[in-house]
Amino acid sequence: MLGEDPDWHSLDPYQRTMTREEFVEALETIYLPYGFDEELIQVFPGYALIRKNNHQPDEMYRIDFLAWRDPVDEPTHDRRSDSSPLKGLVVAIDPGHIGGEFSEMERRHFQVGLDAPVKEGDLTLVVARKLETRLKSLGAKPVLLRQKNEPVTDSRPEDFYHEAVAIEQQFWMEKNGFSSQVTPWGTEWFKQRVQERMEMLFYRVSEIQARADLINNKIRPDLTLAVHFNVSPWKESTRQVHPEENHVHVLVNGTYMAAELALDDVRLQLFKKLLSRNHEQEIPLSDAVAASLLKKTGLPAFSYGGKNASKQGETPAVWARNLLANRLYDGPVVFLEAYCTNSEAAYERLQVDDYQGVRDIGGEMRMSLTSEYAEGILEGLIDYYRQER
Ligand SMILES: [Zn+2]
């Protein structure tokens, strides 16, 4: 939705850069671990064919494999003693969602009793600011994608009225048959569908595209940290009784679903990620941050049950999912989902005014929740770059 026409020539620089073995392994274990439609992708001994355009099913893009990779000597220098492993690193920090007056529209908002509402977009900005300060102090160059609880995109829901009507009419026709004489276009029900679609195109699609544009064309960071909080399922419809579930996970790009792979632009983006070897950095980086967060928060790792995700990396907390953000953002993205803000334990900590240092929380000396989150991420980055740079 709202995507651009795919330019398959953008894959040309990757011709003969990857062996068949590397290509197939990444495809089968990270990007399409549950199989794929062979009408769309065909792998031969020396090359692969990928369908370019669903309107011209026979037009295939051909990517040639590297025949042989010369063994490369791994750099052996040990930089563990380096006191500032993050020095000079350009880090884009994406405070997930918008928050502020948009939190209800983007469905990242809840309120228990007369307590202050919890807005994911406000909390992610708090963590992002703390990360920014700490990264700067370690010589890195952090750049926040937003400084306020306001959208990055200049568009607003009303701008997508015509797209929203077209999409909803199409959906209705597909569901009810194209021959139907009685259409609901004038009903309140349909107007509501259009309203929700306009909002979704604004806060989910246009907003993420605007952030991708900043990352890909302005900041061009070494890595992006996408900061999010989770919410565990409420036990009752009034959303007043806190569930106990509280956990951590970190997402990397992968596990494209069949319906996603069937879209021309998404298919191209998959191969851009794969051929650029994005996973070779994104997964170990996410793994280091996940390990650090598990330790710092003391929380268990979240586990997916369905085929929309697959387990990656070494720690139990890293999963591959195809999200708009980790697909559109160029370069490695560490997509963080720590704490369920509505869980009993996290909610209680979030109700306390933010503080410096540590305090007694249920018998344990702990930082404020947002500081602990930022610190957990930071320590993971230090662990990774101490060994890699
Ligand atoms: Zn989120």
Side-chain angles (χ1 to χ4, degrees), residues 96-97 108 120 227-229 335 337:
H97 311 287
R108 294 295 184 279
E120 184 180 347
V227 182
H228 287 257
F229 284 87
F335 195 104
E337 288 279 3

Side-chain angles (χ1 to χ4, degrees), residues 21-83:
E21 199 185 359
E22 292 172 318
F23 180 89
V24 170
E25 198 195 331
L27 196 65
E28 292 181 350
T29 64
I30 303 165
Y31 295 93
L32 297 166
Y34 301 113
F36 54 87
D37 182 349
E38 290 183 2
E39 301 251 292
L40 301 175
I41 303 162
Q42 292 150 23
V43 184
F44 297 96
Y47 60 93
L49 297 178
I50 305 155
R51 183 187 283 176
K52 291 203 277 191
N53 183 337
N54 289 329
H55 296 294
Q56 285 147 310
D58 296 330
E59 259 189 46
M60 307 294 269
Y61 181 83
R62 175 179 163 138
I63 183 88
D64 288 333
F65 300 134
L66 183 65
W68 172 255
R69 173 171 298 288
D70 288 325
V72 185
D73 287 335
E74 293 285 328
T76 51
H77 61 268
D78 191 357
R79 301 270 308 263
R80 274 157 217 255
S81 55
D82 193 337
S83 57

